[in-house]
Amino acid sequence: MPDALLGEFDVIRLFADLAAPSHPWVRQGIGDDCAVLDLGGERCLLVTKDLLCEGVHFLRGTTTPRQLGWKSLAVNVSDIAAMGGRPLAAFLGLGLDAAEPAFTVGFRDGFLACARAHGIDLLGGDTVRVPRDSVISVTLLGEVARGELVRRAGARAGDAIALGGPVGLSAAGLWLLSAGAQPLDPARRETLVRAHLEPQPQVALGRWIAGRGVATAMIDVSDGLLQDLGHLCAAAGLGARILADALPAPDALAAAAALPGAPTASDWALAGGEDYVLLFTVPPERTAELIEGARRDLGLALTVVGAM
Ligand code: ADP
Ligand code: MG
């Protein structure tokens, strides 16, 4: 939230209102998970950028440098996945308050591990010293076949709303990190904390969905299911109905929600954020085929959680 009076989306609108693209090759500007540039040929270029600020998005005390490096790139990879694309090349901006070798080397190792996992080359960046509170700014380029691009806009009334994985785990992990010692089974705690600190963007799923041409709209869940579904709704001019009972309910989430003082599992699932799973809409007659196909081809359980 950059200003006491203007929210994040107010600020974006201030720019977007006066920044209509002038080039004919801009297929998508401000307003989706990535910008899309169609430079001719079969493929479109995808561009996305995310910023992580110390004290807002991470605390040195609750993440390892390696996890922070991984997450800094992973959150951008997720935006490429949300367009059905494949990541290609990263640019890394670092504003470091104190370039301790151990921190920087750990960060590098995590960042490059994520890059290797997704076939991304680090091609540039910028590095500065800041007086306090480090800032990490990653720009990521990707590609998508022109005919396979999936955007936030496009959902139709009656489309099923599907999730690529459970939501709420990351928020529960964040709560555990800030709540001090809790009587929770260590394996469950690990599941939740890792969901928060080491997100796994769903590139394979995004490409699989895009290749089949079944999704009418797609976004990744970064701000929370309700808010991100709200973006799909706004882009389509539709409302949505979510069935709370249909949400994936992993054991670890239920166990954490039963701890004293904890939010409910559905609060975490609906409003938590930072899950980086894909949220997409499909014509209702194709959901069964899609669920079966994802299980067969990717070993992944998709869940239908409602309808547009
Ligand atoms: P995401 O959660 O997928 O990263 P956001 O909700 O942060 O997307 O951003 C929504 C849209 O606004 C995106 O298209 C993003 O590129 C754009 N955007 C965000 N901040 C700015 C800014 N300061 N100037 C121009 N565009 C912005
Ligand atoms: Mg996104």
Side-chain angles (χ1 to χ4, degrees):
M1 202 64 70
D3 188 283
L5 298 173
L6 296 176
E8 175 188 351
F9 296 107
D10 301 319
V11 172
I12 295 172
R13 215 170 300 117
L14 272 184
F15 284 84
D17 286 350
L18 292 184
S22 61
H23 292 291
W25 31 266
V26 179
R27 190 145 159 210
Q28 171 71 56
I30 295 171
D32 213 312
D33 293 295
C34 295
V36 183
L37 306 183
D38 185 344
L39 302 175
E42 289 304 301
R43 302 183 299 175
C44 292
L45 183 65
L46 304 173
V47 187
T48 186
K49 173 178 201 63
D50 269 311
L51 199 60
L52 281 86
C53 299
E54 186 166 0
V56 179
H57 301 101
F58 68 92
L59 298 169
R60 298 262 181 130
T62 56
T63 178
T64 67
R66 189 184 166 92
Q67 287 169 323
L68 184 61
W70 174 280
K71 185 168 179 176
S72 301
L73 184 53
V75 299
N76 285 277
V77 173
S78 183
D79 280 322
I80 300 275
M83 311 298 290
R86 174 166 88 99
L88 296 174
F91 295 79
L92 173 58
L94 288 176
L96 294 176
D97 64 352
E100 305 158 33
F103 176 85
T104 310
V105 167
F107 180 94
R108 176 203 64 186
D109 289 348
F111 188 92
L112 293 181
C114 185
R116 272 191 303 277
H118 293 284
I120 296 164
D121 293 326
L122 176 63
L123 296 186
D126 199 16
T127 304
V128 294
R129 173 68 62 88
V130 294
R132 63 189 169 82
D133 292 343
S134 296
V135 174
I136 301 149
S137 165
V138 176
T139 302
L140 185 62
L141 310 185
E143 62 163 349
V144 65
R146 169 185 286 145
E148 294 186 2
L149 177 67
V150 189
R151 297 204 250 189
R152 289 184 181 180
R156 293 184 292 251
D159 280 355
I161 300 165
L163 272 174
V167 285
L169 276 61
S170 173
L174 176 62
W175 182 81
L176 285 169
L177 286 171
S178 60
Q182 291 288 333
L184 182 66
D185 160 60
R188 287 176 166 156
R189 180 185 170 90
E190 175 84 358
T191 298
L192 299 171
V193 168
R194 286 183 65 165
H196 183 66
L197 296 177
E198 300 169 35
Q200 304 293 329
Q202 297 192 298
V203 179
L205 175 62
R207 283 168 59 75
W208 184 86
I209 288 169
R212 299 187 143 225
V214 283
T216 49
M218 185 150 67
I219 191 170
D220 66 319
V221 180
S222 55
D223 294 334
L225 176 58
L226 290 184
Q227 188 155 322
D228 290 313
L229 179 58
H231 293 314
L232 297 189
C233 287
L238 294 171
R241 184 189 301 268
I242 289 288
L243 303 167
D245 290 345
L247 291 171
D251 289 350
L253 193 68
L259 293 168
T264 65
S266 62
D267 282 347
W268 275 329
L270 294 171
E274 295 202 89
D275 297 293
Y276 302 106
V277 299
L278 295 179
L279 171 68
F280 53 98
T281 55
V282 283
E285 68 276 10
R286 300 198 64 182
T287 53
E289 154 209 336
L290 201 68
I291 289 172
E292 177 48 32
R295 196 191 336 266
R296 184 189 59 232
D297 297 347
L298 303 170
L300 207 64
L302 304 182
T303 317
V304 171
V305 297
M308 299 299 289

